[in-house]
């Protein structure tokens, strides 16, 4: 912390005395003696090298310097209070903070969240997205959804879905390019996700194609690659469970009836050292029910 910031306890005492225009009332509010309040104000005045209060017969009055400091301190305390309220869980045991990948959130979790809220209306879900590794020691999270093989030594991991890869494109794109076998992909633009850079290579190798997986357009997330595919820009490599509804609805088509299991899955994770909160236990139970309802999860 910068040395230009005055000591915080004297600042807090000064704010109370300035707001109440009384050392006595400040002492009552802070549950300390008037002598202690006077001492804290004196410490702040000596630190700043200015007089903050005019001592009057019946009370105190801010000097010009004191008024300037009070205005700034008041704004700062309001901001601190607002920030604390935004992150605080004090007295609120029904908050569930989850971090997930954008694609998992958009394509699987968000469409189902209304069902969770209807089942547990008192649980407030706070969903954030990031591709960066989770640090449970510094982030205010109950759990995170991660992709991998589930072998994180410090985390409990509950598999949600296998990563089964399948190429997708729009019906109009398929109609225009007549994709009939994997080698036809050499004639079109491949859409990649930078979050999953090896998916095209894995799928092409699995189906025995010699198409070069490198060319194409790269997007930050699979969700963006799917969006590009919906706009007839090319063919994306997708996790099948994320596009199942769109394939059934006909907004996407799979040019080839060939899938490839990547060996990875999506997992709900939380620290082994911390027992899951009651909201997290309910969320996990609900997730298991959703998984049981989806035939893809059992494949």
């Amino acid at each position: 912390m910068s040395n230009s910031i005055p000591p915080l306890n004297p600042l807090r005492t000064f704010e109370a005395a300035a707001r109440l225009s009384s050392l006595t009332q400040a002492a009552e509010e802070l549950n300390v003696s008037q002598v202690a309040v006077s001492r804290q104000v004196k410490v702040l005045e000596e630190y700043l090298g200015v007089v903050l209060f005019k001592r009057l017969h019946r009370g105190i009055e801010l000097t010009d310097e004191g008024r300037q400091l009070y205005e700034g301190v008041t704004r700062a305390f309001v901001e601190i209070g607002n920030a604390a309220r935004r992150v605080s869980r004090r007295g609120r045991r029904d908050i569930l903070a989850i971090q997930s990948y954008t694609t998992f959130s958009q394509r699987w979790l968000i469409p189902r969240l209304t069902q969770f809220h209807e089942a547990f209306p008192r649980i407030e879900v706070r969903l954030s997205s990031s591709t960066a590794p989770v640090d449970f020691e510094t982030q205010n999270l109950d759990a995170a959804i991660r992709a991998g093989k589930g072998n994180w030594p410090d985390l409990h991991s509950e598999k949600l879905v296998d990563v089964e890869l399948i190429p997708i494109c729009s019906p109009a794109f398929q109609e225009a390019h007549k994709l009939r076998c994997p080698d036809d992909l050499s004639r079109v633009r491949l859409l990649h996700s930078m979050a999953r850079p090896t998916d095209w290579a894995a799928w092409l190798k699995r189906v025995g194609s010699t198409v070069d997986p490198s060319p194409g357009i790269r997007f930050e997330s699979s969700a963006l690659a799917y969006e590009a595919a919906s706009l007839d820009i090319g063919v994306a490599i997708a996790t099948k469970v994320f596009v199942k509804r769109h394939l059934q609805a006909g907004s996407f088509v799979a040019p080839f009836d060939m899938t490839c299991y990547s060996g990875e899955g999506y997992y709900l994770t939380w620290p082994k050292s911390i027992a899951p909160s009651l909201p997290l236990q309910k969320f996990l139970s609900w997730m298991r029910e959703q998984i049981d309802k989806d035939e893809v999860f059992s494949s």
Side-chain angles (χ1 to χ4, degrees):
M1 183 176 290
S2 171
N3 291 331
S4 64
I5 298 177
L8 297 180
N9 199 43
L11 273 179
R12 178 169 175 260
T13 304
F14 162 76
E15 185 278 334
R19 172 166 42 82
L20 299 169
S21 298
S22 169
L23 298 179
T24 301
Q25 292 182 41
E28 292 175 356
E29 179 177 294
L30 299 172
N31 198 28
V32 297
S33 67
Q34 183 177 334
V35 173
V37 170
S38 297
R39 187 182 302 118
Q40 290 294 320
V41 170
K42 187 67 174 177
V43 167
L44 188 58
E45 289 179 326
E46 291 178 351
Y47 179 89
L48 297 172
V50 296
V51 176
L52 299 172
F53 291 110
K54 297 175 185 177
R55 271 69 171 181
L56 307 176
H57 177 65
R58 293 186 176 180
I60 57 174
E61 182 180 294
L62 284 167
T63 64
D64 289 342
E65 292 84 359
R67 189 172 295 104
Q68 292 179 52
L69 180 63
Y70 175 65
E71 291 173 355
V73 167
T74 300
R75 288 193 299 270
F77 280 7
V78 168
E79 286 300 313
I80 291 171
N82 290 339
R85 279 189 293 274
R86 284 193 296 269
V87 303
S88 177
R89 298 191 180 194
R90 186 176 181 180
R92 299 188 63 179
R93 300 179 182 274
D94 57 349
I95 292 176
L96 180 64
I98 302 288
Q99 180 172 299
S100 172
Y101 297 111
T102 300
T103 305
F104 189 95
S105 296
Q106 289 184 354
R107 296 285 172 167
W108 193 88
L109 183 55
I110 291 176
R112 294 169 169 82
L113 268 183
T114 54
Q115 300 172 39
F116 180 78
H117 187 256
E118 288 170 358
F120 304 100
R122 294 185 58 83
I123 297 179
E124 177 186 321
V125 177
R126 296 182 178 179
L127 180 62
S128 59
S129 293
S130 176
T131 57
V134 176
D135 185 347
F136 284 101
E137 293 186 0
T138 60
Q139 293 177 266
N140 196 15
L141 294 170
D142 291 289
I145 293 170
R146 299 184 62 178
K149 297 185 177 180
N151 53 351
W152 302 285
D154 298 327
L155 299 179
H156 179 88
S157 57
E158 181 90 12
K159 182 183 278 190
L160 303 175
V161 58
D162 287 325
V163 175
E164 187 179 8
L165 304 175
I166 187 171
I168 60 166
C169 63
S170 70
F173 191 91
Q174 168 65 356
E175 177 64 25
H177 294 86
K178 311 295 184 188
L179 302 174
R180 295 185 174 86
C181 69
D183 286 345
D184 290 341
L185 291 170
S186 63
R187 300 188 281 104
V188 298
R189 185 181 295 110
L190 301 185
L191 306 177
H192 302 259
S193 167
M194 288 186 285
R196 302 192 57 83
T198 63
D199 282 357
W200 265 121
W203 185 86
L204 289 166
K205 181 179 180 180
R206 172 66 179 81
V207 301
S209 174
T210 59
V211 172
D212 184 357
S214 301
I217 301 177
R218 284 167 171 76
F219 299 88
E220 182 182 25
S221 68
S222 297
L224 293 177
Y226 301 168
E227 179 66 18
S230 73
L231 298 174
D232 305 337
I233 293 175
V235 181
I237 186 73
T239 299
K240 188 175 181 180
V241 69
F242 294 159
V243 295
K244 179 184 177 183
R245 293 183 180 183
H246 300 274
L247 290 170
Q248 291 174 338
S251 53
F252 279 139
V253 296
F256 324 109
D257 187 22
M258 303 175 185
T259 61
C260 166
Y261 173 51
S262 72
E264 295 185 341
Y266 284 90
Y267 293 79
L268 183 66
T269 66
W270 64 90
K272 288 181 177 178
S273 59
I274 301 175
S277 65
L278 183 58
L280 179 56
Q281 293 177 41
K282 292 180 178 179
F283 184 74
L284 176 58
S285 178
W286 172 80
M287 292 277 277
R288 286 170 174 161
E289 291 176 1
Q290 296 300 310
I291 291 168
D292 289 342
K293 291 177 182 178
D294 197 322
E295 294 180 356
V296 174
F297 290 156
S298 62
S299 63

